Amino acid sequence: MDTSLAESFELPDPDITDASGREQWLAAFHAELRRLASRHMAHNRWIATLGTTVLVNESYLRLARPSSRRVTSRQHLLNLASCAMRQIICDYARKRLRERNHVDVDLVFDENEEEQQAAELEQARELVALDEALAELTRQDARKVQVVECRFFAGLSEEETAQALSCSLRTVQREWQAARRWLAEYLEN
Amino acid sequence: MRGRDDTFLAPGGALRGPLFASLYRQQGQTRTLVTGTLIGRYRIEQLIGRGGNGEVYRASRDDGEFSHQVALKVIRRDRRQAERFRHERNVLARLTHPGIARIHDGGETTDGLLWYAMELVEGERIDRWCQRRSGDWRQVLNLMRVLCEAVHHAHTHLVVHRDIKPSNILIDAHGQPRLLDFGICGSTDGDDQPGSTDALTPAFASPEQLAGAPVTVQSDIYQLGRLLECLDIVGDTAPPWLTRNLAAVIARATDPLPERRYRSVAELSADIERVLQARPSQARRWPLAWHLKLFTRRHRLPMALATLALLSIAGIGLYAAQQVLLERDRAEAQARHASTSAEVLASLIRMATAEFAPDEMQRLLALLDRTGEATLMRLGDMPGQQAIAATALIRTYRDIDQPERARNLGQRVLAALDQESGHWQEARAVLHRDLAHALLALGDADAAREQHRLAQEQLRQAGIDPAQDLDLQTLALALREHAGGDSPDVARDRTTLITRLEQAGRQRSPAFAALLTRQAHDRFNDHDLDGASASLDRAHALTAQHHGPNSRQALAVDRLRIQIALARGGQTERHDSRARIDRQADTIGASAGAGSAEFADVLITQGIAACEDDDMETGVTRFRQAHAALLALHGEQHPDTARAAIRLADGLQELDRAEEALPLYPAAIAVLAQRHGEDHLPLLAARLQQARGQCRLGVQAWAAEDMAQQRQRLGTFMAADHGSMVAAAIWHSQCLLQHGRSEEAQAVHDNAVAPFPDTVLTTIDQRRLQTLRRELRAAATAPALRSLLR
């Protein structure tokens, strides 16, 4: 892999607060992920394998190369990336649900494709519901939401999550279980 | 995700599943093109589909004043797929066939996007299209032939489609099939690299495709066979000869071994053509009897007539002829169940005429006339046989709505028989009976009654009790129907007769179907919708079989079904019914013409359907059209014209246009009275409506008394809780109220309206009832108010 990819990619300040700066960083992060994914795709038709491992072990670590001069810590990167993943995925889910209204179902040419799209839309609906539930949970307990972002959206391990959030492994385990219980109950109603 | 099980919010869950995959598949390779993007000379309008190897957009080309829309297919730039895409483009460019979506243009954008523009086919998938037309196997088979031609065209250009399936075939607005998506097609030389099965549709893939073996034209033949199979052409209504013939074709096309299938699509197409023409397909060897059966199927008319001519002219014994017929066409239930030789003949001719176009009908009539003459000439030699042959002809005339011919022939044969020395009472009785039916159809009830009497007399002379002759009973009932209208005892006797005919195993004649239809009408009028449906279900198949699915009789059955659905109806049922009747109108308009009696019938049903649907305006328009058509066709004196006039007038009254309605009643009432006598239900209803209009306009001082009288007479035919009786009472009460007789109005309401539930009324009458009650309340309180204020 050439290094220019990572070099062109800069992480923002750890304590970045203004909205436009954050937005810019997200766009750059996403573009980077896309590039990495397409590289991966060249060798593998089926993207299903492009999951946790790839993202954490290849892209994240590549992003965290020292050559990206403003990356100060791996912790900071994981934290930001998890948050970004949630936003990217949920935005995409919303977009798919919107887009659906513009596609003439009768003109989708491929039957497998039709089934595929139905499954995608189903997952999109679930994710949008989850995103809304997380917005509610943020008001009560922001830490639980961060744990969910790390574990569910970014696919980090418990240890990585603890590292990203600067807390103990035990806390991550406890918060993760509690968040899942809360979300399950919330979504059921 | 929703459950509380362990899989809920699994770590990394958002990174798995189809959505995430598509996020990177789509965004990692081709982004959906934004509306307005310019590709070549085409402007992207909307994404309309994602295929296995790209997206398809609706796009338009704008050349100043000339603008046209295309389907624009683009592909991501992956070397292997790009090659395939160029291939697809070249392949399509080679093909010019109306059944294949044409390619207009293609190219590569500066940023490396491959694209081609092809004809935009807006249509419906073939399977859904066929589903909506279930039962119309001819149309579907013709469609398959066009499709075969398209595939054959591709094959002759060395292109195998390899992915023929319902979602790749659209039927356009003109009913033409279009084959889409040559996306994975290869060359016919069969040297495609095996193993590229990923883009296949398993349900339609041929065994060799699934096995990864080289794919040839045989694979397309297989898929066409599968398509034929899954379109489910053979519904419940398809005749058995079709089912067997078609099943053989499908089996041959989808044989697991490519070398045992048809050798070319042209062969398959030819066999589909054979199925359409009722010839034995070459898909398998058929036994000789099957060839013979299909032969008679194909040549039903000449065969029947030849047999008839044989009988009447060469004078072969009837028994022998019947044996010949049974031998030739065992499967025809008609012949098997026919009880007399004449009926065998009549049913044969009937089958021949069931699906006739009007011009063929003229030919048939000429042939029948000639045979009739021949029969008469030979009568002296073999009176018995000739009489039976003549009976068959008379019955045929009757079945094809030619009562005049039936009457003339009947009278001539009877006159000729009178000069014979033999007795022939039974033959005479049959002739008298059929003559009576013909006369009745011509409206000459007195002459028909006389013939009925003569038939009874002949039977008695032959030592047969007329009461035991069910055909004669059917005639007697028809005579009573004609005279007395729909009285309850006629309905009861009809039910008895139906039972007796069933017990005698005579439930297959067209006369029986007609009885069932009448029974359904009785039950419908009695608000017994389930009973009416049951009768109609039985009548339906029988009628379609005897007279053909588009015959006047079959359509009448269908119309009553629609009326039942309307009466049952929720909103959707009504809507469906209206759609059905509109389709029927199209069919008949096309086959019989807009000026025909059949079309007038449909117009009337359309009108009734619209009225039931509370769309009185449309209803009145339809009635007006029907009335005009019947007037031109039969003149004012015909009962059908009179009935249409009454419907039109009744409808106008509902629209508060009594002044237009009133002039229509007198002539129509006179016609019905002359034909049916005073005790005819529609006649009473018409008089009631007339009085109602007169009352409304205030042109007749005694209109209220008139209504009281008509209601009373109506009461002798109908129970007091019948919807029409309650509606009549509402009208009467309104009329009285209008004349300021509010106490009498209240009394009519209390006695004849209040005791019965609103549900017997139509929506319009329910609304009217509400108005009436309001007015009655106002009328009752007004004097009290006045005295209070005084």
Side-chain angles (χ1 to χ4, degrees):
Chain A
M1 296 269 164
D2 65 82
T3 51
S4 61
L5 280 177
E7 272 161 12
S8 66
F9 181 75
E10 291 178 10
L11 279 175
D13 264 330
D15 44 12
I16 186 164
T17 46
D18 74 300
S20 69
R22 206 182 149 76
E23 199 79 349
Q24 266 178 0
W25 180 81
L26 254 177
F29 177 73
H30 194 199
E32 187 60 25
L33 280 185
R34 225 189 290 137
R35 255 186 284 198
L36 289 165
S38 71
R39 185 173 297 270
H40 188 76
M41 297 261 305
H43 304 288
N44 193 334
R45 235 184 105 82
W46 299 111
I47 314 96
T49 53
L50 183 86
T52 327
T53 334
V54 179
L55 280 171
V56 174
N57 295 346
E58 284 188 35
S59 50
Y60 287 9
L61 293 184
R62 195 181 326 282
L63 294 176
R65 283 166 77 95
S67 55
S68 307
R69 58 199 138 81
R70 288 166 79 176
V71 173
T72 50
S73 71
R74 178 179 161 81
Q75 165 225 334
H76 176 214
L77 174 80
L78 291 178
N79 190 345
L80 269 173
S82 304
C83 183
M85 283 310 290
R86 172 181 163 196
Q87 195 167 335
I88 290 164
I89 292 172
C90 293
D91 282 354
Y92 178 63
R94 286 200 175 80
K95 176 167 166 282
R96 281 308 306 277
L97 289 180
R98 273 199 311 277
E99 190 185 72
R100 194 191 101 201
N101 301 328
H102 300 292
V103 178
D104 187 348
V105 255
D106 276 353
L107 278 170
V108 171
F109 295 149
D110 190 318
E111 263 162 14
N112 301 331
E113 194 71 18
E114 256 178 79
E115 273 169 38
Q116 171 82 10
Q117 289 193 14
E120 287 172 18
L121 290 173
E122 178 57 28
Q123 202 191 4
R125 267 187 290 272
E126 287 174 350
L127 284 171
V128 169
L130 178 67
D131 195 43
E132 280 158 10
L134 287 174
E136 177 61 33
L137 185 57
T138 308
R139 267 170 243 141
Q140 299 175 19
D141 188 345
R143 159 110 59 144
K144 284 197 179 65
V145 175
Q146 285 180 315
V147 172
V148 172
E149 281 168 353
C150 289
R151 299 281 283 126
F152 182 71
F153 284 101
L156 302 188
S157 68
E158 287 174 347
E159 288 80 10
E160 283 165 332
T161 306
Q163 197 184 353
L165 300 180
S166 317
C167 61
S168 75
L169 192 62
R170 184 76 199 93
T171 311
V172 168
Q173 287 167 343
R174 203 177 48 242
E175 293 283 68
W176 172 237
Q177 288 308 326
R180 287 173 72 193
R181 260 201 310 280
W182 187 92
L183 286 166
E185 202 159 317
Y186 184 87
L187 288 171
E188 219 160 284
N189 299 323
Chain B
M1 196 174 89
R2 285 285 153 93
R4 279 178 200 228
D5 52 26
D6 291 339
T7 57
F8 175 72
L9 286 190
L15 307 177
R16 286 191 285 272
L19 183 80
F20 186 74
S22 85
L23 170 66
Y24 283 96
R25 179 174 52 212
Q26 192 199 357
Q27 304 213 335
Q29 303 192 344
T30 325
R31 260 175 286 187
T32 304
L33 293 172
V34 183
T35 305
T37 311
L38 213 54
I39 301 281
R41 276 160 300 181
Y42 298 90
R43 196 170 292 283
I44 297 291
E45 288 181 355
Q46 191 185 44
L47 179 74
I48 52 176
R50 282 202 189 91
N53 52 8
E55 283 96 39
V56 184
Y57 298 87
R58 189 206 310 279
S60 67
R61 177 178 169 177
D62 229 338
D63 281 351
E65 42 205 286
F66 174 71
S67 143
H68 78 145
Q69 290 204 315
V70 296
L72 196 120
K73 194 161 182 174
V74 296
I75 186 172
R76 38 189 177 267
R77 206 167 154 68
D78 166 304
R79 193 179 304 136
R80 204 182 95 209
Q81 286 170 324
E83 262 161 35
R84 212 186 198 181
F85 186 79
R86 283 199 194 93
H87 173 67
E88 180 179 341
R89 208 165 64 194
N90 292 337
V91 159
L92 272 175
R94 268 191 278 164
L95 305 178
T96 50
H97 189 275
I100 298 171
R102 263 188 308 279
I103 185 164
H104 292 310
D105 201 357
E108 204 167 332
T109 62
T110 44
D111 51 343
L113 210 57
L114 286 161
W115 63 275
Y116 69 77
M118 61 177 179
E119 192 184 357
L120 179 69
V121 181
E122 293 193 85
E124 195 176 0
R125 275 173 54 156
I126 188 168
D127 47 347
R128 295 183 191 148
W129 192 88
C130 291
Q131 243 166 30
R132 288 199 296 116
R133 285 165 182 73
S134 66
D136 194 350
W137 52 270
R138 277 178 207 282
Q139 203 172 13
V140 178
L141 286 181
N142 276 318
L143 213 63
M144 282 302 298
R145 288 206 58 223
V146 180
L147 212 55
C148 283
E149 270 174 33
V151 176
H152 184 65
H153 175 84
H155 287 178
T156 55
H157 287 78
L158 303 177
V159 175
V160 186
H161 187 287
R162 307 209 301 180
D163 197 19
I164 300 169
K165 59 183 176 180
S167 59
N168 271 342
I169 300 156
L170 296 183
I171 310 298
D172 69 14
H174 307 291
Q176 283 305 306
R178 299 301 193 84
L179 197 50
L180 306 176
D181 210 359
F182 278 76
I184 62 163
C185 52
S187 308
T188 47
D189 43 24
D191 66 355
D192 277 310
Q193 60 279 54
S196 55
T197 52
D198 46 20
L200 292 173
T201 315
F204 279 83
S206 63
E208 64 270 24
Q209 274 175 308
L210 290 175
V215 164
T216 64
V217 291
Q218 298 301 323
S219 190
D220 278 358
I221 292 170
Y222 178 90
Q223 290 179 336
L224 283 168
R226 284 282 296 122
L227 183 69
L228 202 52
E229 191 175 5
C230 86
L231 290 181
D232 196 21
I233 293 157
V234 196
D236 304 334
T237 52
W241 60 267
L242 172 72
T243 317
R244 284 182 62 189
N245 221 352
L246 198 59
V249 172
I250 293 171
R252 172 96 188 265
T254 58
D255 197 295
L257 292 174
E259 59 271 23
R260 294 223 310 241
R261 293 179 205 146
Y262 290 102
R263 275 168 304 175
S264 71
V265 179
E267 267 186 22
L268 168 63
S269 181
D271 243 6
I272 293 177
E273 176 72 29
R274 284 190 195 96
V275 173
L276 266 165
Q277 294 177 344
R279 291 172 189 278
S281 68
Q282 304 206 326
R284 53 165 281 196
R285 290 180 155 280
W286 299 98
L288 188 63
W290 172 257
H291 278 276
L292 206 56
K293 183 170 154 53
L294 286 177
F295 179 79
T296 58
R297 186 82 218 167
R298 238 167 26 244
H299 300 289
R300 286 184 310 172
L301 168 62
M303 191 67 136
L305 291 173
T307 317
L308 194 64
L310 210 68
L311 266 166
S312 51
I313 297 160
I316 289 182
L318 271 172
Y319 176 78
Q322 191 171 347
Q323 286 311 300
V324 169
L325 291 175
L326 289 174
E327 207 44 51
R328 287 203 173 158
D329 213 352
R330 274 186 190 286
E332 300 290 4
Q334 278 316 300
R336 209 164 48 218
H337 288 271
S339 60
T340 69
S341 304
E343 232 167 278
V344 176
L345 281 177
S347 64
L348 258 172
I349 303 171
R350 201 151 52 218
M351 285 186 287
T353 56
E355 287 162 17
F356 264 19
D359 58 320
E360 286 179 298
M361 200 54 138
Q362 288 307 318
R363 209 158 50 89
L364 170 70
L365 281 174
L367 281 164
L368 286 175
D369 290 348
R370 226 176 296 154
T371 318
E373 290 303 322
T375 310
L376 278 166
M377 274 173 59
R378 308 286 299 191
L379 203 59
D381 300 344
M382 277 159 276
Q385 282 95 330
Q386 301 305 329
I388 291 172
T391 311
L393 270 176
I394 292 169
R395 206 165 296 172
T396 306
Y397 282 137
R398 209 177 104 200
D399 286 342
I400 57 178
D401 278 332
Q402 297 286 336
E404 245 165 273
R405 282 186 157 87
R407 181 191 60 193
N408 296 344
L409 185 63
Q411 284 170 341
R412 288 174 64 192
V413 174
L414 274 166
L417 263 187
D418 280 345
Q419 293 169 4
E420 289 304 312
S421 49
H423 295 298
W424 307 115
Q425 283 102 342
E426 266 189 82
R428 279 205 180 92
V430 171
L431 283 165
H432 281 303
R433 190 187 68 206
D434 287 341
L435 185 54
H437 275 295
L439 288 164
L440 198 59
L442 289 168
D444 192 349
D446 290 337
R449 265 190 287 278
E450 173 61 14
Q451 291 299 326
H452 177 227
R453 197 188 57 74
L454 288 170
Q456 282 177 315
E457 205 177 283
Q458 292 291 340
L459 276 183
R460 274 195 212 100
Q461 279 183 22
I464 298 169
D465 179 7
Q468 294 307 313
D469 186 295
L470 292 175
D471 291 322
L472 209 56
Q473 293 302 311
T474 313
L475 171 65
L477 195 72
L479 283 167
R480 279 166 66 199
E481 269 165 23
H482 189 83
D486 311 306
S487 68
D489 53 323
V490 171
R492 201 182 47 241
D493 291 352
R494 188 179 296 123
T495 307
T496 317
L497 184 61
I498 287 173
T499 319
R500 283 182 67 190
L501 282 168
E502 274 176 325
Q503 282 163 355
R506 302 277 302 279
Q507 67 276 56
R508 285 175 177 274
S509 68
F512 188 75
L515 281 172
L516 283 172
T517 313
R518 299 285 313 184
Q519 187 183 44
H521 271 284
D522 290 341
R523 291 175 167 174
F524 178 68
N525 289 335
D526 279 346
H527 285 268
D528 174 10
L529 298 184
D530 291 335
S533 285
S535 304
L536 271 190
D537 287 343
R538 298 183 60 192
H540 179 72
L542 208 52
T543 312
Q545 193 182 3
H546 281 304
H547 302 288
N550 286 332
S551 62
R552 206 180 162 159
Q553 291 86 345
L555 292 175
V557 169
D558 211 28
R559 273 197 296 283
L560 187 55
R561 286 183 134 180
I562 291 169
Q563 272 171 274
I564 292 174
L566 284 170
R568 280 229 169 93
Q571 200 65 38
T572 46
E573 269 170 301
R574 281 190 187 159
H575 189 78
D576 288 353
S577 303
R578 285 188 76 173
R580 261 172 68 202
I581 190 69
D582 288 346
R583 276 204 299 282
Q584 211 187 60
D586 289 344
T587 315
I588 295 183
S591 65
S596 62
E598 286 84 350
F599 194 65
D601 277 354
V602 183
L603 282 170
I604 287 177
T605 317
Q606 278 185 313
I608 295 172
C611 292
E612 292 279 354
D613 207 14
D614 219 359
D615 179 5
M616 296 304 302
E617 290 283 355
T618 311
V620 164
T621 311
R622 296 283 170 270
F623 292 148
R624 199 188 292 284
Q625 289 168 333
H627 180 236
L630 289 168
L631 203 57
L633 206 62
H634 301 311
E636 199 180 25
Q637 293 302 310
H638 196 278
D640 287 348
T641 317
R643 275 188 278 271
I646 289 170
R647 285 213 187 272
L648 171 60
D650 291 353
L652 284 166
Q653 292 223 50
E654 298 296 342
L655 289 175
D656 273 338
R657 281 149 67 178
E659 67 285 354
E660 278 177 73
L662 279 181
L664 290 163
Y665 285 113
I669 286 176
V671 171
L672 288 188
Q674 195 219 335
R675 193 174 169 115
H676 297 289
E678 279 300 320
D679 285 338
H680 182 57
L681 200 61
L683 178 64
L684 293 176
R687 284 192 191 281
L688 197 71
Q689 287 272 19
Q690 187 185 24
R692 178 179 159 221
Q694 287 167 341
C695 173
R696 185 156 198 112
L697 294 183
V699 293
Q700 192 78 289
W702 57 90
E705 276 59 43
D706 219 9
M707 286 182 93
Q709 195 193 343
Q710 301 303 338
R711 268 185 60 214
Q712 201 185 353
R713 292 178 67 173
L714 213 54
T716 59
F717 290 99
M718 286 193 292
D721 64 347
H722 194 287
S724 306
M725 285 296 289
V726 180
I730 294 174
W731 299 340
H732 187 204
S733 179
Q734 271 181 330
C735 181
L736 287 165
L737 206 57
Q738 204 175 335
H739 285 239
R741 294 151 67 175
S742 55
E743 277 163 37
E744 287 170 73
Q746 185 71 50
V748 169
H749 170 267
D750 292 349
N751 293 330
V753 182
F756 310 114
D758 284 4
T759 45
V760 301
L761 294 171
T762 63
T763 339
I764 297 167
D765 283 329
Q766 284 179 13
R767 273 208 302 276
R768 187 172 290 122
L769 178 56
Q770 281 164 11
T771 318
L772 172 69
R773 287 191 169 141
R774 221 169 26 243
E775 286 169 357
L776 282 173
R777 271 199 302 278
T781 48
L785 256 175
R786 243 178 265 131
S787 65
L788 213 93
L789 291 170
R790 205 176 285 150

